[in-house]
Amino acid sequence: MDDAKIAWKIREAIHRFSGKLSARLPKTAQRLVREVVFGVQSRGSVRLSEIARSLEEKSCLKKIIERLGRQLQRPGLRQRVRENLLQLAAGRIDSGSLLVLDPTDISKPYAKKMQYLARVRDGSAGQYGDGYWCCQVVEARRRSAQVVPLYQELYSQQAPDFVSENEEILKAIRRVSRAVGKRGTWVIDRGGDREELLKPLLQQKLSFLIRQRGDRHLRWGRRLMSVEQIAARCRRRYRETIFKEAPEGEQVYHLDFGFQKVHFPGFDRPLSLVVVDGFGAKPMMLLTSMKVTRSRKSLWRVVESYLSRWRVEETIRFIKQSYQLEDIRLLRYERLRSMATLVMAAAYFACVYLGKITKLKILLQHIYQAAKRIYGIPEFRFYAIADGVKQVLFGSHSGIGRPPPAQLPFAENPLLPMEL
């Protein structure tokens, strides 16, 4: 199959996907969603100028950019796209899903006029600068390379509607839970052990797995003790060896692990504190509501679930790098937030939607080949998919084209009431 036919198939898939993503929006907003998803995929960029060029329209480039900018400012756009994306993904979430929540940053060290710029900690540079925060949720599974981008919300501490980081995290949990119910286990890194986050999770009876800093106090038997004190009394009965790929080469970890039954003060729900040695000087301490017994298999299931965060960190890098998210240059805050949501939708298209359509599965091999990667297809294959889609669409020089005559119905699940 030649690249022109592959490009036509991908365009058709983008039309159908964006039709579902923009359901219940006005036609002008539906057009924006379609054009942004196409432009981000074909140019690997969130710049409006690049998206506008990808459309191959006869209109003046400046006019196209202005039209895109106006539609990104549309009230309710971001919220509707977010709800539709969660609806599309909800059917993939079950009791084995890990809902990995990760606050990340978009660094803009040279920006001066972007609205509500805030101070963020650039994780890659290890220093503070200007930018925005993003709260992301990605679904993963133990022993599976598949990940499902679910949610991304950009926010700033300087915005008038900002309350707190805790509230942004709780919003993410509430919004995703409205779509998926109580299915899945919430996985959160250190910092997620705050009382303001743990109490709502316990009150809503959601399953969770949260790494502890060590200063949180829990009830062990009849005694109230810090997590570090409880961990010091935990017997590590079992040992496992794992291997992790890193830029400097393969890393080997010999892990010893065990657990203690605990309770959060004021709640009767039984919890487990799983303690793991081998990652550093201090033990890794995981508080979970997952069912844990004394068997090796049960305990290792918890440890493996937390280690799935490694793949999600790679997903976040994929979204930032493949679509150049940190190169975003919109000046208005609402436009920035809308673009961040649409980029998450574009990542869902590359990670999930292309492989979901049976007729397109065979195209993935052609897309991999189009990526022309020197070292072959990496384990995290979505980089190759994004590169291949960009290569095929960018080389076709025919814009997005017209929608297919019959759009697929948007009826996987009844639409949830939109939360603004």
Side-chain angles (χ1 to χ4, degrees):
M1 186 179 293
D2 60 34
D3 282 0
K5 291 182 179 179
I6 297 172
W8 182 83
K9 288 287 188 182
I10 295 173
R11 282 192 191 88
E12 186 180 54
I14 289 174
H15 277 292
R16 297 187 185 279
F17 171 71
S18 61
K20 297 181 179 185
L21 197 63
S22 60
R24 282 77 170 183
L25 283 171
K27 286 187 177 179
T28 51
Q30 291 180 5
R31 179 184 179 184
L32 167 86
V33 171
R34 183 168 63 246
E35 290 175 341
V36 170
V37 172
F38 174 80
V40 167
Q41 296 290 349
S42 64
R43 294 292 178 127
S45 174
V46 293
R47 290 194 204 176
L48 289 192
S49 58
E50 290 299 311
I51 294 171
R53 288 188 180 95
S54 74
L55 303 177
E56 300 283 344
E57 293 183 5
K58 295 180 180 179
S59 304
C60 170
L61 186 65
K62 182 174 182 290
K63 295 293 185 183
I64 300 173
I65 293 171
E66 289 174 352
R67 171 173 59 80
L68 294 172
R70 283 195 305 271
Q71 289 302 318
L72 283 170
Q73 191 73 25
R74 176 183 286 275
L77 170 73
R78 167 175 53 89
Q79 294 87 343
R80 177 58 71 199
V81 169
R82 181 184 67 218
E83 297 297 332
N84 286 343
L85 179 61
L86 285 172
Q87 182 188 358
L88 280 171
R92 307 182 68 87
I93 310 302
D94 57 31
S95 59
S97 296
L98 302 171
L99 305 174
V100 183
L101 188 149
D102 192 79
T104 186
D105 65 273
I106 296 176
S107 180
K108 301 298 298 181
Y110 305 110
K112 300 297 180 185
K113 296 183 179 180
M114 296 177 77
Q115 194 175 22
Y116 305 134
L117 273 171
R119 298 296 288 175
V120 300
R121 187 180 186 278
D122 186 346
S124 57
Q127 59 189 19
Y128 286 89
D130 290 334
Y132 299 93
W133 291 102
C134 275
C135 189
Q136 296 183 336
V137 181
V138 176
E139 189 259 4
R141 293 175 183 270
R142 292 186 307 121
R143 303 180 182 181
S144 171
Q146 179 68 59
V147 292
V148 180
L150 292 175
Y151 176 95
Q152 177 166 264
E153 186 81 347
L154 180 146
Y155 67 91
S156 166
Q157 304 97 305
Q158 302 302 317
D161 61 348
F162 175 78
V163 178
S164 67
E165 182 186 38
N166 289 335
E167 180 58 25
E168 292 297 328
I169 293 173
L170 290 173
K171 279 181 187 177
I173 294 172
R174 287 196 299 267
R175 289 165 176 169
V176 175
S177 295
R178 285 180 64 248
V180 307
K182 294 184 178 181
R183 304 190 299 273
T185 297
W186 287 92
V187 182
I188 312 177
D189 204 0
R190 279 175 295 210
D193 62 347
R194 310 165 201 170
E195 186 173 336
E196 295 86 350
L197 301 179
L198 277 168
K199 281 187 174 180
L201 288 168
L202 288 164
Q203 289 165 351
Q204 296 170 40
K205 297 182 180 179
L206 297 174
S207 178
F208 62 85
L209 172 59
I210 301 176
R211 187 170 180 178
Q212 304 292 292
R213 292 175 299 183
D215 53 353
R216 164 71 48 209
H217 280 68
L218 300 172
R219 199 172 77 241
W220 182 50
R222 296 184 178 181
R223 302 172 64 183
L224 195 64
M225 302 174 64
S226 73
V227 169
E228 282 191 343
Q229 290 174 322
I230 299 172
R233 291 164 171 76
C234 177
R235 182 181 174 187
R236 282 66 147 175
R237 296 173 176 268
Y238 305 112
R239 166 167 285 198
E240 289 282 352
T241 300
I242 65 170
F243 304 88
K244 180 184 178 184
E245 293 294 334
E248 59 273 14
E250 188 177 72
Q251 296 180 349
V252 182
Y253 296 93
H254 302 289
L255 308 180
D256 298 307
F257 54 99
F259 85 110
Q260 296 279 18
K261 289 291 185 183
V262 295
H263 288 82
F264 189 86
F267 291 86
D268 294 329
R269 186 180 180 184
L271 303 174
S272 298
L273 181 68
V274 178
V275 184
V276 185
D277 287 328
F279 284 114
K282 290 186 177 181
M284 183 171 72
M285 298 163 285
L286 306 173
L287 181 66
T288 184
S289 62
M290 297 167 66
K291 185 177 180 181
V292 178
T293 66
R294 294 189 180 278
S295 72
R296 173 192 292 269
K297 182 179 179 181
S298 172
L299 273 172
W300 187 242
R301 180 171 64 94
V302 175
V303 178
E304 275 190 319
S305 296
Y306 181 78
L307 297 183
S308 297
R309 281 188 56 84
W310 285 349
R311 289 201 313 281
V312 171
E313 289 170 0
E314 186 66 23
T315 304
I316 292 169
R317 283 194 291 272
F318 156 71
I319 294 171
K320 283 186 176 182
Q321 294 174 13
S322 293
Y323 304 131
Q324 300 179 39
L325 185 55
E326 291 193 326
D327 194 32
I328 194 166
R329 300 188 181 187
L330 297 163
L331 300 182
R332 302 290 293 275
Y333 184 57
E334 186 58 32
R335 295 177 185 181
L336 286 162
R337 303 185 84 188
S338 295
M339 182 61 79
T341 299
L342 286 168
V343 167
M344 198 64 163
Y348 180 93
F349 177 82
C351 293
V352 180
Y353 195 79
L354 275 179
K356 179 182 176 183
I357 304 173
T358 305
K359 290 182 179 179
L360 288 180
K361 286 182 179 178
I362 193 169
L363 295 183
L364 292 182
Q365 296 305 316
H366 296 281
I367 290 170
Y368 286 144
Q369 293 170 13
K372 298 178 182 177
R373 287 176 163 259
I374 296 174
Y375 300 107
I377 305 304
E379 182 180 352
F380 192 77
R381 64 188 184 278
F382 302 121
Y383 285 104
I385 294 177
D387 284 353
V389 169
K390 176 182 174 182
Q391 183 74 20
V392 169
L393 293 178
F394 187 75
S396 63
H397 298 295
S398 56
I400 189 172
R402 293 185 178 183
Q407 294 285 350
L408 293 178
F410 186 57
E412 280 86 347
N413 297 297
L415 187 69
L416 298 168
M418 185 174 68
E419 181 184 342
L420 297 176

